[in-house]
């Protein structure tokens, strides 16, 4: 029972950390909207969460087609091929990829301010929802522990 509780809280904590890190990345993109030759970056949240929690799954294709070259492990089709590196154990800094689909402006900047603002707002809402979920779990646990002592 305690292991399941610990795992659930660990998962939520990792999700919160990744949401906060993504907020930093999106903030950096927004703050560099006027920086010449700045290239907008992001990371795929689902892939990063799987890597952070050690969840295994099929990761042999681009996790998010709007981001760089895909974030999965390389497929090995012949025993002589060199094995590729999967995302397991990678930091979000290593997972950062240039955004695709943004046309760079004349000065080489690829930040689409509307897209970044929308992603920022969506990430904020999801961060707050995750925080409320954790608070709800803690509140439920407190009530359950308190009711057993009466």
């Amino acid at each position: 029972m305690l292991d399941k509780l610990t795992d659930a809280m660990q998962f939520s904590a990792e999700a919160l950390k990744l949401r906060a890190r993504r907020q930093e990345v999106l903030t950096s993109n927004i703050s560099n909207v006027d920086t010449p030759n700045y290239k907008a970056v992001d990371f795929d949240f689902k892939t990063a969460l799987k890597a952070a929690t050690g969840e295994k799954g099929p990761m042999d294709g681009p996790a998010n087609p709007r981001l760089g070259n895909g974030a999965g492990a390389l497929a090995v089709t012949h025993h002589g091929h060199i094995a590729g590196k999967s995302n397991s154990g990678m930091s979000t800094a290593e997972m950062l990829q240039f955004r695709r689909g943004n046309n760079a402006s004349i000065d080489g900047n690829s930040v689409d301010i509307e897209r970044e603002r929308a992603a920022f707002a969506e990430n904020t809402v999801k961060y707050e929802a995750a925080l409320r979920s954790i608070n709800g779990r803690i509140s439920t646990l407190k009530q359950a522990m308190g009711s057993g002592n009466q």
Side-chain angles (χ1 to χ4, degrees):
M1 173 73 174
L2 189 56
D3 289 340
K4 287 182 181 181
L5 180 62
T6 301
D7 289 346
M9 295 304 275
Q10 178 76 25
F11 181 85
S12 297
E14 289 297 330
L16 272 179
K17 282 190 244 177
L18 287 171
R19 286 277 172 217
R21 175 66 180 121
R22 185 155 188 250
Q23 209 70 346
E24 292 170 4
V25 170
L26 295 170
T27 300
S28 178
N29 287 345
I30 291 169
S31 65
N32 283 291
V33 70
D34 293 324
T35 303
N37 295 315
Y38 181 83
K39 306 299 181 218
V41 294
D42 201 353
F43 64 90
D44 182 60
F45 181 82
K46 287 181 186 178
T47 303
L49 187 58
K50 282 182 181 181
T53 59
E55 183 180 329
K56 305 288 187 246
M59 296 173 53
D60 53 356
N64 187 337
R66 286 186 263 168
L67 296 176
N69 58 358
L74 298 176
V76 178
T77 58
H78 185 272
H79 66 50
H81 289 170
I82 298 172
K85 180 180 177 184
S86 72
N87 288 338
S88 181
M90 289 177 70
S91 70
T92 53
E94 293 171 311
M95 289 185 184
L96 284 179
Q97 298 178 359
F98 295 116
R99 284 204 190 244
R100 282 191 169 172
N102 289 3
N103 293 328
S105 60
I106 292 174
D107 67 357
N109 186 301
S110 70
V111 176
D112 177 350
I113 192 67
E114 295 306 318
R115 184 178 188 179
E116 298 301 325
R117 285 180 180 160
F120 185 89
E122 177 187 14
N123 195 63
T124 300
V125 168
K126 289 180 177 181
Y127 179 89
E128 290 173 357
L131 195 56
R132 278 194 300 275
S133 173
I134 289 175
N135 286 337
R137 280 191 193 139
I138 291 171
S139 177
T140 301
L141 287 172
K142 282 182 179 179
Q143 288 176 351
M145 288 187 276
S147 64
N149 294 332
Q150 294 177 354

